[in-house]
Amino acid sequence: MTDFLDLEDFIALTAETVEIPTLDRHFDRFLKTHGGAALAAHVLPLGTAVLRGEWQPIICTFPEEISRFYREHKCADQDPFMAEALAEGMPIQYSVVAPKFNWSPIQRKLFDKIKSIGYTDGIAMPVMAKPGVAAYFGLALEKAEPVSQGQKRVL
């Protein structure tokens, strides 16, 4: 069981942290407190191809098997969940948008692998850090249940 970490405590802890591994641990603890099972995030320079096949996350707590598959198959270039979140410009829930995707074999295999380890739903969040720079956060959830817009924004 993860010790509860509310938003105020998370902000206080991260404001005092300068080491990336410690910051990652605080972030992971906060997300697990609020129902997140795994997280991957990366910066996306706007006006260029998303990542041109290079996936260099700023944080990733997914199992190595998933991370390796994502990297080796250049999934960042074809992640329908990320594309949908960026197109919507707001947090989206996997179970709500997935039925409309036209899955490629690689995409289907990736999301089947994710489901096979117990992550049944997820939230994708685009974040506009500053003009010309966006970030993308993909959060895996172990339970497929409705998540309100407010809950998505907290996560």
Side-chain angles (χ1 to χ4, degrees), residues 2-4 22 29 35-36 46 52 54 70 82-83 89-90 93-94 102 110 120-121 125 127 141 144 150:
T2 303
D3 294 330
F4 185 81
T22 303
R29 180 177 162 209
L46 299 179
R52 293 198 172 104
E54 296 300 317
Y70 198 90
M82 177 173 29
M90 58 191 247
Q93 188 167 1
Y94 173 81
N102 290 320
L110 170 66
T120 60
D121 205 352
M125 298 162 280
V127 176
L141 305 172

Side-chain angles (χ1 to χ4, degrees), residues 79-113:
D79 186 335
F81 198 36
M82 177 173 29
E84 184 71 16
L86 292 169
E88 290 292 326
M90 58 191 247
I92 60 165
Q93 188 167 1
Y94 173 81
S95 59
V96 173
V97 298
K100 72 179 191 176
F101 294 155
N102 290 320
W103 298 96
S104 74
I106 292 293
Q107 291 168 336
R108 174 56 45 215
K109 190 170 182 178
L110 170 66
F111 284 90
D112 286 347
K113 280 181 168 293

Side-chain angles (χ1 to χ4, degrees), residues 18-82:
V18 294
E19 297 170 347
I20 298 296
T22 303
L23 194 59
D24 288 354
R25 283 193 302 277
H26 293 324
F27 207 164
D28 190 46
R29 180 177 162 209
F30 175 74
L31 290 171
K32 287 182 177 169
T33 294
H34 296 281
L39 167 78
H42 49 268
V43 175
L44 308 169
L46 299 179
T48 62
V50 172
L51 292 172
R52 293 198 172 104
E54 296 300 317
W55 183 61
Q56 298 176 352
I58 55 177
I59 183 173
C60 182
T61 64
F62 278 84
E64 180 56 30
E65 172 190 2
I66 301 299
S67 298
R68 185 175 42 257
F69 185 92
Y70 198 90
R71 197 173 36 256
E72 289 174 358
H73 293 279
K74 301 187 182 311
C75 292
D77 286 342
Q78 55 182 323
D79 186 335
F81 198 36
M82 177 173 29

